[in-house]
Amino acid sequence: EKLGISADRVTKRGLRIAQAPQDARDAGHEVVVVGGASLATPVREAGLVHVEAGPPDLPSVFARIPERSGLTGRRLAAVIWRQAFAGILAEAMAAAILDLAGSWRPDLVVHEDSEQGSWIAADALGVPYIALQATAWRGTRFRLSEEPLNRLRTAHGLPEDPGLARWHRYGFLTTRPPG
């Protein structure tokens, strides 16, 4: 089985979660981690294959969003979520997964929960996908992401997905206990 992992950044929590792809590799699965250049060193240090895709890091993405100037708190977070994570990064990661599938088609795509493009690419390919929670839960993310992600879906020949019901169609894995 081929397991494609996509992420948009490296966090301490994300590095701990990296054990799952290592375990999959050790069980005999082919594992490829897709993401920006900032992922290369920690992914390779974990003994995994890295395919560079999308912007190199988050600061370079944020610099492309002039609307963030002067904003703070929740307003800044909403603009960053919609334009960076559901916009710039989602478009880049969807394109990267589709490109990768031309030569190495994954059997499953696992995406870090804030990386929003690979599940759309997987849906277009007919490949199952699951989200792995690496950041704090954001209850507003569906509302903030719906418009830009539906634009991305239609750009890749998929129908719109009201309420983004398909986002976690195959599962959402959390590292936190219920409660």
Side-chain angles (χ1 to χ4, degrees), residues 1 31 34 40 57 80 85 151 157 162 173 176:
E1 302 256 345
V31 178
V34 179
D57 54 30
I80 292 295
F85 294 102
R151 275 196 311 270
L173 304 176
R176 293 165 177 83

Side-chain angles (χ1 to χ4, degrees), residues 42-173:
V43 167
R44 289 190 181 119
E45 286 176 353
L48 299 167
V49 175
H50 175 250
V51 172
E52 188 173 328
D57 54 30
L58 290 179
S60 68
V61 173
F62 299 158
R64 295 170 52 186
I65 305 172
E67 297 85 354
R68 70 183 171 76
S69 180
L71 297 178
T72 59
R74 290 182 179 179
R75 288 188 176 154
L76 175 61
V79 167
I80 292 295
W81 186 262
R82 181 184 296 260
Q83 293 188 32
F85 294 102
I88 296 166
L89 289 163
E91 291 168 11
M93 294 306 291
I97 295 295
L98 290 169
D99 186 53
L100 176 65
S103 60
W104 188 87
R105 185 181 177 93
D107 297 308
L108 174 69
V109 171
V110 179
H111 66 94
E112 182 242 327
D113 61 333
S114 66
E115 191 285 294
Q116 301 175 52
S118 62
W119 74 271
I120 292 172
D123 212 14
L125 292 166
V127 172
Y129 48 88
I130 59 173
L132 180 61
Q133 185 177 12
T135 60
W137 176 256
R138 292 172 181 86
T140 59
R141 67 181 169 178
F142 292 99
R143 179 179 53 82
L144 293 171
S145 298
E146 186 171 5
E147 182 185 334
L149 293 185
N150 274 318
R151 275 196 311 270
L152 185 58
R153 288 181 60 78
T154 60
H156 289 290
L158 295 168
E160 287 194 7
D161 180 16
L164 299 176
R166 295 181 65 85
W167 192 347
H168 297 147
R169 177 182 181 194
Y170 296 100
F172 179 83
L173 304 176

Side-chain angles (χ1 to χ4, degrees), residues 8-32:
D8 52 32
R9 64 178 172 252
V10 175
T11 63
K12 287 181 183 179
R13 183 162 195 70
L15 287 173
R16 287 197 306 272
I17 289 170
Q19 189 60 46
Q22 291 171 346
D23 290 345
R25 179 211 49 219
D26 294 347
H29 302 285
E30 290 181 55
V31 178
V32 171

